[in-house]
Amino acid sequence: MLFRSKKRKLADSAVYRWRYWLGYMVLVVLFCAAITAASLYAPGGVTEAEIEALGTTNAISPNHLGSLAQTNLPFHLLQRSLFSVFGVTIYTIKLPSLILSFIAAVAVFFLLRRWFKPNVTILSLVIMTVTGQLIFFAQSFTPHILYITYAALILLFASLIVQRAKGSALWRLLLAATVGLSLFTPYFWYIHLTLLLVALIHPHTRYALLAKRNRFKWLPAIIVLALTSAPVIFLAATHHDLLKSLVGIHSLSWALGDNLRLLLYHYLWVKPTVVGGQIAPVLDFSALFLITLGLFKTIQQHHTARSYMIGVWLLLSLPLLVLQPSMTSIIILPLFILLAVGVEALLNQWYSLFPRNPYARITGLLMLMALIGVMVLSGLDRFTNGYRHFSGAVHEFSTDLPLLQKAIAGRQNVVLVANPHEAPLYETVARYSKHKLAVNQPAAEGTTLVITRAEQMAHPNTDGWILERIVTNSHAERADRFYLYKLAKK
């Protein structure tokens, strides 16, 4: 009776009744704070891969059809529209990825809610939010975030359709639109074809696709798929370079030994190192333990629909990962689902030991929350301090853009000279900036000549110009970022 009385008081408390909503609010705040801090504070700069992506964005012109033959075209069009509205800053460069990462997080949340209990969903998403891998891709203007977002949306909409959730017609349309847009991203044709083949083999999904009562329900979705995929099909048919990039066969690396070594650095290497601008290992060993436990449970429960979908995605992504080890983003979603399975297994295992002892159950939950709290704090500390102080990572990110904008504020005519690797960043600024900034153009009298450090070291000849100022940052090495000159009087 005493246990029942205490249990009733606990259930009647406001904190207990609103525990899940409080958890969801904490989760949203944590995610928004993490990706905002990551984009503005750590790393707080742009990589060469992001500058290269800006070059692709700059090359797109609605007036020239050939310029639209680019991989990840919707991603770059979103970037152009944001630049037109908000201008060019470090934050707006990363804003498309931030938006897509939020969409991906919402999709993963609803996907896990359909597969797991709310407590497992909240605890798993808290761990996912602070993993260095997710935050890194969320703040990076590279196509990696597309693989996470498309995968999350496709699995969510497919689950809603197969499970006959309310609004199935809407989920079919959204699934079709997502599939059509994802065709602009390399390798997704392969994923979709294999998923369709596997769906036709499995009896449950085959019934959802081909049953007589469902055939006409797919007609609007087929129309949406045709409309959204028509641009990429037309551009790929008329521009063979785009077709080759989307197929992606020539981008694969067959040096399997080197590829496996990179994957070892990514996931299992103990000593921190930098691989592709990212600090590795990308997951801490506590998360890897939960993922391994989740994989073991998934194999045990291979007959379930959840295990079937996880297994299919792993079989699709692992070959690509081995042949293209830089595409770690393609396997993030199945790893996160396996992590949730591991959290669920850990809770169930503890509760099975004490099925009727409320104190033991609460103790187990508190211990797990303490473990996750340590993982959260260590993950945030590792990410923020790593990208700001780890020597191998600090110089991977350029923080020159705000320095330049501050240095040329108030100047009317500025000519900036940069090397080809840096030029796309400054050409973007010149296109959307209010300043009269020209990049790699002849400098006339009355202009301010700005030379980047890389170009100054490569071509130091500045005859006829007088050094006015050297713009520096806070780094101990290579702190000289820009050289400002004025024309010498004749």
Side-chain angles (χ1 to χ4, degrees):
M1 293 294 294
L2 182 60
F3 281 166
R4 290 181 180 178
S5 176
K6 291 183 176 181
K7 187 175 181 179
R8 188 178 300 109
K9 289 181 180 180
L10 178 63
D12 291 338
S13 65
V15 175
Y16 183 84
R17 285 186 287 110
W18 293 93
R19 64 194 184 281
Y20 294 136
W21 286 106
L22 291 174
Y24 299 150
M25 292 173 61
V26 170
L27 188 60
V28 171
V29 172
L30 180 63
F31 179 79
C32 294
I35 61 174
T36 302
S39 59
L40 296 177
Y41 178 73
V46 292
T47 62
E48 288 187 8
E50 291 177 279
I51 295 175
E52 184 179 352
L54 286 175
T56 303
T57 302
N58 291 334
I60 295 173
S61 174
N63 298 325
H64 296 86
L65 183 62
S67 68
L68 299 177
Q70 305 285 352
T71 58
N72 309 302
L73 179 63
F75 189 50
H76 295 290
L77 292 177
L78 174 62
Q79 180 67 284
R80 283 179 62 91
S81 62
L82 292 174
F83 282 159
S84 300
V85 176
F86 301 108
V88 181
T89 63
I90 294 291
Y91 188 77
T92 56
I93 290 173
K94 299 174 181 294
L95 189 55
S97 294
L98 297 176
I99 294 172
L100 292 175
S101 67
F102 184 79
I103 295 173
V106 172
V108 172
F109 167 76
F110 284 107
L111 180 64
L112 295 184
R113 274 294 306 270
R114 300 198 66 82
W115 288 355
F116 302 96
K117 295 180 180 179
N119 58 342
V120 175
T121 300
I122 293 173
L123 294 175
S124 302
L125 284 173
V126 167
I127 300 174
M128 297 174 198
T129 299
V130 297
T131 58
Q133 195 170 26
L134 180 60
I135 298 177
F136 181 84
F137 289 135
Q139 61 79 45
S140 177
F141 177 60
T142 57
H144 286 289
I145 191 62
L146 293 174
Y147 291 96
I148 303 173
T149 305
Y150 285 143
L153 291 175
I154 288 169
L155 287 183
L156 173 62
F157 296 146
S159 298
L160 291 170
I161 294 169
V162 172
Q163 296 176 1
R164 300 178 185 177
K166 292 182 178 179
S168 295
L170 175 62
W171 308 135
R172 290 189 186 94
L173 295 177
L174 292 177
L175 176 62
T178 304
V179 170
L181 293 175
S182 68
L183 292 177
F184 274 104
T185 302
Y187 303 112
F188 259 99
W189 64 271
Y190 151 76
I191 293 174
H192 294 319
L193 286 178
T194 312
L195 282 175
L196 180 61
L197 177 62
V198 173
L200 293 175
I201 293 174
H202 194 276
H204 189 48
T205 53
R206 183 172 67 245
Y207 176 80
L209 289 172
L210 301 180
K212 290 184 178 180
R213 57 180 297 182
N214 295 330
R215 290 176 187 174
F216 288 104
K217 296 179 181 179
W218 283 98
L219 183 59
I222 293 174
I223 295 174
V224 170
L225 177 61
L227 293 175
T228 52
S229 60
V232 66
I233 294 174
F234 172 77
L235 291 172
T238 55
H239 299 81
H240 293 166
D241 289 339
L242 174 61
L243 179 61
K244 293 177 182 179
S245 299
L246 293 176
V247 172
I249 294 178
H250 298 296
S251 301
L252 300 177
S253 171
W254 298 95
L256 298 182
D258 295 338
N259 295 349
L260 293 175
R261 190 178 300 110
L262 284 176
L263 292 178
L264 176 66
Y265 283 129
H266 269 296
Y267 295 103
L268 298 175
W269 201 250
V270 177
K271 184 179 179 180
T273 185
V274 177
V275 181
Q278 187 177 11
I279 297 178
V282 294
L283 297 172
D284 60 41
F285 288 98
S286 300
L288 280 178
F289 166 77
L290 292 173
I291 290 171
T292 305
L293 178 61
L295 179 61
F296 177 74
K297 288 295 181 182
T298 299
I299 295 173
Q300 278 189 332
Q301 304 168 356
H302 61 275
H303 58 281
T304 63
R306 182 180 71 187
S307 300
Y308 180 77
M309 295 186 73
I310 297 172
V312 168
W313 201 270
L314 283 174
L315 291 175
L316 291 175
S317 56
L318 284 176
L320 281 178
L321 192 62
V322 171
L323 296 176
Q324 186 66 280
S326 62
M327 290 182 56
T328 53
S329 54
I330 201 169
I331 203 172
I332 286 182
L333 185 60
L335 289 183
F336 283 171
I337 297 174
L338 289 176
L339 187 145
V341 177
V343 172
E344 181 186 53
L346 203 61
L347 284 172
N348 292 339
Q349 188 66 28
W350 180 266
Y351 289 164
S352 66
L353 295 175
F354 307 98
R356 296 185 179 181
N357 189 333
Y359 297 109
R361 294 169 68 91
I362 293 175
T363 301
L365 181 61
L366 292 176
M367 291 173 61
L368 183 60
M369 291 177 63
L371 172 64
I372 292 175
V374 171
M375 293 173 64
V376 168
L377 293 177
S378 64
L380 290 175
D381 178 73
R382 178 173 174 270
F383 184 89
T384 54
N385 290 324
Y387 283 104
R388 290 191 64 82
H389 303 296
F390 186 47
S391 59
V394 168
H395 295 296
E396 293 283 337
F397 297 87
S398 170
T399 57
D400 293 344
L401 179 56
L403 292 176
L404 173 66
Q405 292 174 325
K406 184 177 181 181
I408 66 175
R411 299 177 185 264
Q412 295 300 319
N413 298 302
V414 179
V415 173
L416 184 139
V417 181
N419 66 27
H421 298 291
E422 302 171 304
L425 174 62
Y426 304 117
E427 289 170 354
T428 305
V429 176
R431 174 176 293 185
Y432 298 98
S433 175
K434 298 179 181 178
H435 303 287
K436 292 183 178 180
L437 175 66
V439 179
N440 293 337
Q441 299 293 327
E445 186 176 356
T447 62
T448 300
L449 178 65
V450 181
I451 303 179
T452 65
R453 180 188 188 277
E455 186 65 16
Q456 178 75 18
M457 297 299 104
H459 304 94
N461 186 12
T462 53
D463 294 338
W465 293 85
I466 299 175
L467 181 63
E468 180 181 347
R469 179 187 173 194
I470 299 177
V471 179
T472 62
N473 60 19
S474 59
H475 294 174
E477 300 177 351
R478 292 179 278 178
D480 52 324
R481 305 313 304 166
F482 297 101
Y483 291 77
L484 273 65
Y485 291 88
K486 62 181 180 180
L487 187 66
K489 296 182 179 180
K490 296 182 180 180

